[in-house]
Amino acid sequence: MTAKSATSNQVSFSWDAVKGATSYNIYRFYAKIATVSKNSYTSNPNLKPDTAYIFNVSAVNSAGESERSANFTIRTEKEL
């Protein structure tokens, strides 16, 4: 996964598309928080400043859900 951006309350990242995937599940601290149709994600703007967040992604299609990705950590920026 690749971090695209981080502010004090929001993060954005992307990952390589998985052939055959129809959607992706996003996990934060191992709890499912979203399902997206493309290979990128932008969080809600309610994260805490200067905090490390652990994300995982899994691919989904009619056969089911893949294994989750390795942990991917993004830290939000400090508040100005």
Short mmCIF file of all heavy atoms in Angstrom, two decimals, residues 27-66:
data_model
loop_
_atom_site.label_atom_id
_atom_site.label_comp_id
_atom_site.label_asym_id
_atom_site.label_seq_id
_atom_site.Cartn_x
_atom_site.Cartn_y
_atom_site.Cartn_z
N TYR A 27 -9.93 -2.38 6.76
CA TYR A 27 -9.91 -2.63 8.20
C TYR A 27 -8.99 -1.61 8.86
O TYR A 27 -7.91 -1.33 8.34
CB TYR A 27 -9.38 -4.04 8.49
CG TYR A 27 -10.28 -5.14 7.98
CD1 TYR A 27 -10.20 -5.57 6.66
CD2 TYR A 27 -11.21 -5.74 8.82
CE1 TYR A 27 -11.03 -6.57 6.19
CE2 TYR A 27 -12.04 -6.74 8.36
CZ TYR A 27 -11.95 -7.15 7.05
OH TYR A 27 -12.78 -8.15 6.58
N ARG A 28 -9.42 -1.10 10.00
CA ARG A 28 -8.58 -0.22 10.82
C ARG A 28 -8.52 -0.83 12.21
O ARG A 28 -9.56 -1.09 12.81
CB ARG A 28 -9.15 1.20 10.88
CG ARG A 28 -8.22 2.17 11.64
CD ARG A 28 -8.72 3.59 11.57
NE ARG A 28 -9.94 3.74 12.34
CZ ARG A 28 -10.95 4.53 12.00
NH1 ARG A 28 -10.92 5.25 10.90
NH2 ARG A 28 -12.03 4.61 12.75
N PHE A 29 -7.31 -1.07 12.70
CA PHE A 29 -7.12 -1.77 13.97
C PHE A 29 -7.93 -3.07 13.98
O PHE A 29 -8.59 -3.40 14.95
CB PHE A 29 -7.47 -0.88 15.17
CG PHE A 29 -6.55 0.30 15.33
CD1 PHE A 29 -7.07 1.58 15.45
CD2 PHE A 29 -5.18 0.15 15.35
CE1 PHE A 29 -6.23 2.68 15.60
CE2 PHE A 29 -4.33 1.24 15.49
CZ PHE A 29 -4.86 2.51 15.62
N TYR A 30 -7.92 -3.76 12.84
CA TYR A 30 -8.48 -5.11 12.66
C TYR A 30 -10.01 -5.16 12.68
O TYR A 30 -10.58 -6.24 12.68
CB TYR A 30 -7.89 -6.08 13.69
CG TYR A 30 -6.38 -5.96 13.76
CD1 TYR A 30 -5.78 -5.31 14.83
CD2 TYR A 30 -5.58 -6.41 12.72
CE1 TYR A 30 -4.39 -5.15 14.87
CE2 TYR A 30 -4.20 -6.25 12.75
CZ TYR A 30 -3.62 -5.62 13.83
OH TYR A 30 -2.27 -5.46 13.87
N ALA A 31 -10.67 -4.01 12.66
CA ALA A 31 -12.13 -3.97 12.58
C ALA A 31 -12.51 -3.41 11.21
O ALA A 31 -11.96 -2.41 10.76
CB ALA A 31 -12.70 -3.08 13.68
N LYS A 32 -13.46 -4.07 10.55
CA LYS A 32 -13.89 -3.61 9.22
C LYS A 32 -14.58 -2.26 9.36
O LYS A 32 -15.49 -2.10 10.18
CB LYS A 32 -14.83 -4.64 8.61
CG LYS A 32 -15.28 -4.29 7.22
CD LYS A 32 -16.14 -5.41 6.66
CE LYS A 32 -16.93 -4.94 5.47
NZ LYS A 32 -17.83 -6.00 4.99
N ILE A 33 -14.12 -1.29 8.57
CA ILE A 33 -14.70 0.05 8.66
C ILE A 33 -15.33 0.52 7.35
O ILE A 33 -16.10 1.47 7.35
CB ILE A 33 -13.65 1.09 9.11
CG1 ILE A 33 -12.46 1.10 8.14
CG2 ILE A 33 -13.22 0.84 10.53
CD1 ILE A 33 -11.55 2.31 8.32
N ALA A 34 -15.02 -0.16 6.23
CA ALA A 34 -15.56 0.31 4.96
C ALA A 34 -15.41 -0.77 3.89
O ALA A 34 -14.57 -1.66 3.99
CB ALA A 34 -14.85 1.58 4.50
N THR A 35 -16.23 -0.64 2.85
CA THR A 35 -16.09 -1.42 1.63
C THR A 35 -16.06 -0.42 0.48
O THR A 35 -16.91 0.47 0.42
CB THR A 35 -17.26 -2.40 1.46
OG1 THR A 35 -17.28 -3.30 2.57
CG2 THR A 35 -17.12 -3.20 0.17
N VAL A 36 -15.05 -0.54 -0.38
CA VAL A 36 -14.90 0.39 -1.50
C VAL A 36 -14.82 -0.39 -2.80
O VAL A 36 -14.45 -1.56 -2.81
CB VAL A 36 -13.65 1.30 -1.32
CG1 VAL A 36 -13.79 2.18 -0.08
CG2 VAL A 36 -12.38 0.48 -1.25
N SER A 37 -15.15 0.27 -3.89
CA SER A 37 -15.16 -0.40 -5.18
C SER A 37 -13.88 -0.19 -5.98
O SER A 37 -13.65 -0.89 -6.97
CB SER A 37 -16.35 0.09 -6.01
OG SER A 37 -16.28 1.48 -6.20
N LYS A 38 -13.04 0.76 -5.56
CA LYS A 38 -11.79 0.98 -6.27
C LYS A 38 -10.61 0.78 -5.32
O LYS A 38 -10.81 0.63 -4.12
CB LYS A 38 -11.76 2.35 -6.92
CG LYS A 38 -11.99 3.49 -5.97
CD LYS A 38 -12.11 4.81 -6.72
CE LYS A 38 -12.41 5.92 -5.72
NZ LYS A 38 -12.50 7.21 -6.36
N ASN A 39 -9.40 0.78 -5.85
CA ASN A 39 -8.22 0.46 -5.04
C ASN A 39 -7.59 1.69 -4.38
O ASN A 39 -6.40 1.91 -4.43
CB ASN A 39 -7.19 -0.32 -5.87
CG ASN A 39 -6.70 0.45 -7.06
OD1 ASN A 39 -7.48 1.08 -7.77
ND2 ASN A 39 -5.41 0.42 -7.29
N SER A 40 -8.45 2.47 -3.72
CA SER A 40 -7.98 3.60 -2.92
C SER A 40 -9.01 3.89 -1.84
O SER A 40 -10.18 3.49 -1.95
CB SER A 40 -7.74 4.83 -3.78
OG SER A 40 -8.94 5.27 -4.36
N TYR A 41 -8.56 4.57 -0.80
CA TYR A 41 -9.43 4.85 0.34
C TYR A 41 -9.03 6.17 0.97
O TYR A 41 -7.85 6.46 1.12
CB TYR A 41 -9.32 3.73 1.38
CG TYR A 41 -10.07 4.01 2.66
CD1 TYR A 41 -11.45 3.95 2.71
CD2 TYR A 41 -9.38 4.37 3.81
CE1 TYR A 41 -12.14 4.22 3.87
CE2 TYR A 41 -10.07 4.65 4.99
CZ TYR A 41 -11.45 4.56 5.01
OH TYR A 41 -12.13 4.83 6.17
N THR A 42 -10.04 6.96 1.33
CA THR A 42 -9.84 8.18 2.11
C THR A 42 -10.72 8.07 3.34
O THR A 42 -11.92 7.84 3.23
CB THR A 42 -10.21 9.43 1.30
OG1 THR A 42 -9.38 9.48 0.14
CG2 THR A 42 -10.01 10.70 2.12
N SER A 43 -10.11 8.23 4.50
CA SER A 43 -10.85 8.08 5.75
C SER A 43 -11.80 9.25 5.97
O SER A 43 -11.68 10.30 5.35
CB SER A 43 -9.88 8.00 6.93
OG SER A 43 -9.27 9.26 7.15
N ASN A 44 -12.72 9.05 6.92
CA ASN A 44 -13.54 10.16 7.38
C ASN A 44 -12.63 11.14 8.10
O ASN A 44 -11.61 10.73 8.67
CB ASN A 44 -14.62 9.66 8.35
CG ASN A 44 -15.66 8.81 7.65
OD1 ASN A 44 -15.98 9.05 6.50
ND2 ASN A 44 -16.17 7.81 8.34
N PRO A 45 -12.97 12.42 8.13
CA PRO A 45 -12.09 13.42 8.75
C PRO A 45 -12.27 13.50 10.27
O PRO A 45 -12.48 14.56 10.83
CB PRO A 45 -12.50 14.72 8.06
CG PRO A 45 -13.94 14.51 7.75
CD PRO A 45 -14.09 13.05 7.42
N ASN A 46 -12.21 12.34 10.93
CA ASN A 46 -12.42 12.32 12.38
C ASN A 46 -11.32 11.56 13.12
O ASN A 46 -11.52 11.08 14.23
CB ASN A 46 -13.79 11.74 12.72
CG ASN A 46 -13.96 10.34 12.19
OD1 ASN A 46 -13.07 9.78 11.54
ND2 ASN A 46 -15.11 9.74 12.44
N LEU A 47 -10.14 11.43 12.50
CA LEU A 47 -9.03 10.76 13.16
C LEU A 47 -8.32 11.72 14.11
O LEU A 47 -8.43 12.93 13.98
CB LEU A 47 -8.03 10.23 12.12
CG LEU A 47 -8.60 9.26 11.09
CD1 LEU A 47 -7.50 8.81 10.14
CD2 LEU A 47 -9.26 8.06 11.75
N LYS A 48 -7.59 11.16 15.07
CA LYS A 48 -6.88 11.98 16.04
C LYS A 48 -5.54 12.44 15.47
O LYS A 48 -4.87 11.68 14.78
CB LYS A 48 -6.65 11.19 17.33
CG LYS A 48 -7.92 10.84 18.05
CD LYS A 48 -7.63 10.02 19.28
CE LYS A 48 -8.92 9.63 19.98
NZ LYS A 48 -8.69 8.73 21.12
N PRO A 49 -5.13 13.67 15.77
CA PRO A 49 -3.84 14.18 15.29
C PRO A 49 -2.67 13.40 15.89
O PRO A 49 -2.75 12.89 17.00
CB PRO A 49 -3.82 15.63 15.77
CG PRO A 49 -5.21 15.96 16.14
CD PRO A 49 -5.88 14.68 16.51
N ASP A 50 -1.57 13.32 15.13
CA ASP A 50 -0.31 12.72 15.57
C ASP A 50 -0.52 11.33 16.17
O ASP A 50 -0.04 11.00 17.24
CB ASP A 50 0.39 13.65 16.58
CG ASP A 50 1.85 13.26 16.79
OD1 ASP A 50 2.45 12.66 15.87
OD2 ASP A 50 2.39 13.54 17.87
N THR A 51 -1.29 10.52 15.44
CA THR A 51 -1.62 9.17 15.89
C THR A 51 -1.35 8.18 14.76
O THR A 51 -1.69 8.46 13.60
CB THR A 51 -3.11 9.09 16.30
OG1 THR A 51 -3.36 10.06 17.32
CG2 THR A 51 -3.48 7.71 16.81
N ALA A 52 -0.76 7.05 15.09
CA ALA A 52 -0.51 6.00 14.10
C ALA A 52 -1.74 5.10 14.01
O ALA A 52 -2.26 4.65 15.03
CB ALA A 52 0.71 5.19 14.49
N TYR A 53 -2.19 4.87 12.80
CA TYR A 53 -3.33 4.00 12.54
C TYR A 53 -2.87 2.81 11.70
O TYR A 53 -2.13 2.99 10.73
CB TYR A 53 -4.44 4.76 11.80
CG TYR A 53 -5.15 5.75 12.68
CD1 TYR A 53 -4.69 7.06 12.79
CD2 TYR A 53 -6.27 5.38 13.41
CE1 TYR A 53 -5.34 7.97 13.60
CE2 TYR A 53 -6.92 6.29 14.22
CZ TYR A 53 -6.46 7.58 14.32
OH TYR A 53 -7.10 8.48 15.12
N ILE A 54 -3.32 1.62 12.08
CA ILE A 54 -2.98 0.40 11.34
C ILE A 54 -4.16 0.03 10.46
O ILE A 54 -5.30 -0.10 10.94
CB ILE A 54 -2.66 -0.76 12.29
CG1 ILE A 54 -1.45 -0.42 13.15
CG2 ILE A 54 -2.44 -2.05 11.52
CD1 ILE A 54 -1.20 -1.42 14.26
N PHE A 55 -3.88 -0.15 9.16
CA PHE A 55 -4.91 -0.55 8.20
C PHE A 55 -4.54 -1.87 7.55
O PHE A 55 -3.35 -2.21 7.44
CB PHE A 55 -5.04 0.51 7.09
CG PHE A 55 -5.63 1.81 7.55
CD1 PHE A 55 -4.82 2.84 8.00
CD2 PHE A 55 -7.00 2.02 7.54
CE1 PHE A 55 -5.35 4.05 8.42
CE2 PHE A 55 -7.54 3.22 7.96
CZ PHE A 55 -6.71 4.24 8.41
N ASN A 56 -5.57 -2.59 7.11
CA ASN A 56 -5.43 -3.78 6.28
C ASN A 56 -6.50 -3.69 5.20
O ASN A 56 -7.54 -3.07 5.41
CB ASN A 56 -5.66 -5.08 7.06
CG ASN A 56 -4.79 -5.21 8.28
OD1 ASN A 56 -5.18 -4.78 9.34
ND2 ASN A 56 -3.63 -5.80 8.12
N VAL A 57 -6.25 -4.36 4.09
CA VAL A 57 -7.21 -4.39 2.99
C VAL A 57 -7.37 -5.84 2.55
O VAL A 57 -6.41 -6.60 2.54
CB VAL A 57 -6.71 -3.53 1.80
CG1 VAL A 57 -7.65 -3.65 0.61
CG2 VAL A 57 -6.57 -2.08 2.22
N SER A 58 -8.59 -6.21 2.17
CA SER A 58 -8.82 -7.52 1.56
C SER A 58 -9.61 -7.31 0.27
O SER A 58 -10.35 -6.34 0.13
CB SER A 58 -9.59 -8.45 2.50
OG SER A 58 -10.90 -7.94 2.73
N ALA A 59 -9.42 -8.23 -0.66
CA ALA A 59 -10.15 -8.19 -1.92
C ALA A 59 -11.38 -9.08 -1.81
O ALA A 59 -11.34 -10.12 -1.15
CB ALA A 59 -9.26 -8.67 -3.06
N VAL A 60 -12.46 -8.67 -2.47
CA VAL A 60 -13.72 -9.42 -2.41
C VAL A 60 -14.23 -9.66 -3.82
O VAL A 60 -14.16 -8.77 -4.67
CB VAL A 60 -14.78 -8.64 -1.59
CG1 VAL A 60 -16.09 -9.40 -1.52
CG2 VAL A 60 -14.26 -8.32 -0.19
N ASN A 61 -14.75 -10.86 -4.06
CA ASN A 61 -15.48 -11.15 -5.29
C ASN A 61 -16.52 -12.21 -4.98
O ASN A 61 -16.74 -12.55 -3.80
CB ASN A 61 -14.54 -11.54 -6.45
CG ASN A 61 -13.81 -12.84 -6.20
OD1 ASN A 61 -14.18 -13.65 -5.36
ND2 ASN A 61 -12.73 -13.04 -6.94
N SER A 62 -17.15 -12.78 -6.01
CA SER A 62 -18.24 -13.73 -5.78
C SER A 62 -17.77 -14.99 -5.06
O SER A 62 -18.57 -15.70 -4.44
CB SER A 62 -18.90 -14.10 -7.10
OG SER A 62 -17.94 -14.67 -7.98
N ALA A 63 -16.48 -15.29 -5.09
CA ALA A 63 -15.94 -16.46 -4.40
C ALA A 63 -15.70 -16.20 -2.92
O ALA A 63 -15.47 -17.13 -2.15
CB ALA A 63 -14.64 -16.91 -5.06
N GLY A 64 -15.73 -14.94 -2.50
CA GLY A 64 -15.52 -14.61 -1.09
C GLY A 64 -14.47 -13.55 -0.90
O GLY A 64 -14.16 -12.79 -1.81
N GLU A 65 -13.91 -13.53 0.30
CA GLU A 65 -12.94 -12.51 0.70
C GLU A 65 -11.55 -13.11 0.80
O GLU A 65 -11.38 -14.21 1.33
CB GLU A 65 -13.35 -11.93 2.06
CG GLU A 65 -12.46 -10.82 2.57
CD GLU A 65 -12.93 -10.24 3.89
OE1 GLU A 65 -13.87 -10.78 4.50
OE2 GLU A 65 -12.35 -9.23 4.32
N SER A 66 -10.56 -12.37 0.30
CA SER A 66 -9.18 -12.83 0.36
C SER A 66 -8.63 -12.67 1.78
O SER A 66 -9.26 -12.08 2.65
CB SER A 66 -8.31 -12.02 -0.60
OG SER A 66 -8.11 -10.71 -0.08
#
